[in-house]
Amino acid sequence: MCGIMGYNGKQNAIPIVIKGLKSLEYRGYDSAGIAYLKDENVKIIKEKGRITELEKLLDDDSSNTAIGHTRWATHGSPNRINAHPHNVGDVIIVHNGIIENYSELKEKLISNGYTFKSETDTEVACAVIDSIYKETNDKIKTIEKLKDVLKGSYAFLILFKNDNKIYTTRCGSPLILASNIDGNYIASDIPAILPYTKEYYLLDEGEIGIVDFEKIEFIKNGNIIKKEKLTFNFSVSEAELVGYKHFMLKEINEQPHIIKEFLDYYFENFDLIKDISKYKKIHIVACGSAYHAGLIGKYLIEKYGHIETNVYIASEYRYSDNFITKDTLVILVSQSGETADTIASLRLAKECKAGTLGIVNVVGSTIARESDEVIYINAGCEIAVATTKAYTNQVLTFSLLAYKLGIKNGLISNEDALEIKKEYYNLPNEINKILKLDYKSLASKIYKQNDIFFIGRLIDYYLCLEGSLKLKEISYIHSETYAAGELKHGTISLIDEGTPVVSIVTDTSICEKTVSNINETKARGANVILVKRKSLVIDETCYDELIEITDMSDLVIPMLSIVPLQLLAYHVADLKGLDIDKPKNLAKSVTVE
Ligand code: M6R
């Protein structure tokens, strides 16, 4: 949530910061702003809307030092006044996160004579910094005090008037710093830095980064510290469209290649797929699509590992009685590794002395660093807000965990293990076939609809949940998913002549039951799009449109069955002419509660 970019160096900082913000726009895009040093003064320019709106207000000024922000509103509507940077007294800041005790702090500051222009928690944080600085007259001491005063999460870039350094600190929200011969860079995420260097530092909580014209310094507890440099494994093209109309389409199409790389790496290093057989129960905790991946994880772990597994939405888990014991393994699933509720659940699990395993994409993210063990899903840089390739690799990770359990406890024989391994390696090939089908004409039949229903059972139900989320988040069509057998307990009253119903039928054990439920909708006029396992014989009268998926083990087929639903969602949104990579009201990583 919210993108932050700063630069201090030999080049003109303004275009560098604007370019960086554009590559971070997936983190929030309702308003944007920049502050830069100009002849001993700080100039602040901000605007409602996308960064292109901000650009219209920029002249050809230049500066060596600038900070910028692209916002996902939390406090106050997305307008110019609430946009960052904020300035109070001698302090100018941009902020990612939420200051939870801002009302209390604001009252105190008002009684001390401060006035506020915006509705934001950030302006309050800015006034806090200014007031502490007025007392201490020491910038480092001021920033160090923040952790005692501010509750919540923050990543700040701070400018002080009459000082050409950028100061930075964080709690919860991520920040990375990097240098090259042209200067020094600070950003919320990798894509902003990628055009300049592949080496970077991660700012840890409790540390302060000071970025001047020539160097970056890190301070902890008042002392300068040395930090380890990390290296991105990404190429610049990962953060570029390279001919695709949207990042979502690019990322869907990257799946065969990414899966192949994942398989090569983890079959070479099979011990990195952790053996989780010693645990008595497993809790999988995540949000959104990661939660949907977890549901498939539950199905496969229970089937092949015979370990009781439950899946929880992180924002619920963190406030529930979960009966976590030392014998529990809590698996945190997160693409970004920075989702606030998932981090809070991880910390809760650790307090309860459970084992913790992160299934994470972003290397060095909070969940990756704080979990006892981590499996990286190696999906590369995912830019589109709607996740596709990261979801698929999360499911694949669960699949390999279950495969390992199945081999260990004899539920998968050596012979079957080899066959399944071949199927894993055939997945890229099969996905490539699915990618080539015509989704545009399918999409043209439903893109004008107001409501769509997805139905399936067991693993197919979990896939439907993900397909439906994909569709609604980027096409804004109301879409609901039901366990197929549940439909007749109320929802079937919504099925009318022409209502689109998407169904997945790959689970052979329950196929006939699902087909009966499909028929119930068909009898009420539904327009059925069926995604089915090739070998299943289903009467033609049951569906209007058909997509067939090659037969594979249930350990492998989910990564294939999801692809048509991703593409259907994409083409529906594209026909509606929507901003697919940046759907309204959303942001890529949800670093606030
Ligand atoms: O970074 P995370 O995997 O923790 O994010 C979790 C959800 O916010 C995320 O999967 C969200 O649901 C996606 N935008 C859905 O496409």
Side-chain angles (χ1 to χ4, degrees), residues 45-184:
I45 302 172
K46 42 195 201 175
E47 187 52 298
K48 182 180 171 180
R50 298 288 164 90
I51 291 154
T52 44
E53 299 305 311
L54 172 68
E55 276 183 296
K56 291 179 191 159
L57 304 180
L58 299 175
D59 48 30
D60 44 11
D61 242 1
S62 74
S63 167
N64 296 106
T65 314
I67 59 175
H69 188 266
T70 176
R71 180 171 185 246
W72 186 86
T74 57
H75 297 70
S77 54
N79 59 34
R80 188 186 285 181
I81 294 173
N82 289 332
H84 303 205
H86 288 279
N87 169 217
V88 180
D90 287 333
V91 180
I92 299 97
I93 65 170
V94 294
H95 168 216
N96 173 22
I98 285 189
I99 307 302
E100 287 166 2
N101 57 339
Y102 87 105
S103 305
E104 190 188 307
L105 291 168
K106 191 170 184 176
E107 258 179 45
K108 233 194 214 163
L109 288 159
I110 289 173
S111 66
N112 288 339
Y114 279 91
T115 54
F116 294 92
K117 297 185 219 71
S118 78
E119 302 154 271
T120 63
D121 54 338
T122 304
E123 193 183 13
V124 174
C126 194
V128 167
I129 300 172
D130 183 68
S131 69
I132 304 175
Y133 182 51
K134 289 212 159 83
E135 272 170 32
T136 60
N137 203 24
D138 181 316
K139 288 157 192 158
I140 302 303
K141 280 192 184 140
T142 299
I143 298 170
E144 275 183 342
K145 264 199 154 183
L146 294 180
K147 58 180 179 309
D148 306 324
V149 182
L150 302 178
K151 285 197 190 131
S153 62
Y154 52 83
F156 291 131
L157 301 193
I158 310 169
L159 293 173
F160 289 91
K161 282 189 182 155
N162 303 314
D163 184 345
N164 61 5
K165 298 187 181 90
I166 303 171
Y167 295 81
T168 177
T169 191
R170 72 174 200 96
C171 170
S173 309
L175 272 180
I176 57 173
L177 295 94
S179 323
N180 69 0
I181 50 159
D182 285 333
N184 302 304

Side-chain angles (χ1 to χ4, degrees), residues 287-290 333-336 339 385-387 394 469-470 473 590:
C287 304
S289 295
V333 194
S334 175
Q335 187 284 129
S336 61
T339 301
V385 165
T387 178
Q394 287 163 352
L469 176 61
K470 274 311 68 100
E473 74 178 315
V590 185

Side-chain angles (χ1 to χ4, degrees), residues 386-397:
T387 178
T388 51
K389 60 177 182 174
Y391 165 83
T392 303
N393 270 20
Q394 287 163 352
V395 178
L396 182 55
T397 306

Side-chain angles (χ1 to χ4, degrees), residues 287 314 334-344 367 589-592:
C287 304
S334 175
Q335 187 284 129
S336 61
E338 300 294 348
T339 301
D341 287 314
T342 315
I343 294 174
I367 294 173
S589 65
V590 185
T591 53
V592 295

Side-chain angles (χ1 to χ4, degrees), residues 554-575:
D554 56 3
L555 282 162
V556 189
I557 207 164
M559 280 76 74
L560 192 55
S561 322
I562 195 61
V563 178
L565 301 194
Q566 294 172 339
L567 282 161
L568 182 64
Y570 172 83
H571 285 285
V572 167
D574 194 36
L575 281 176

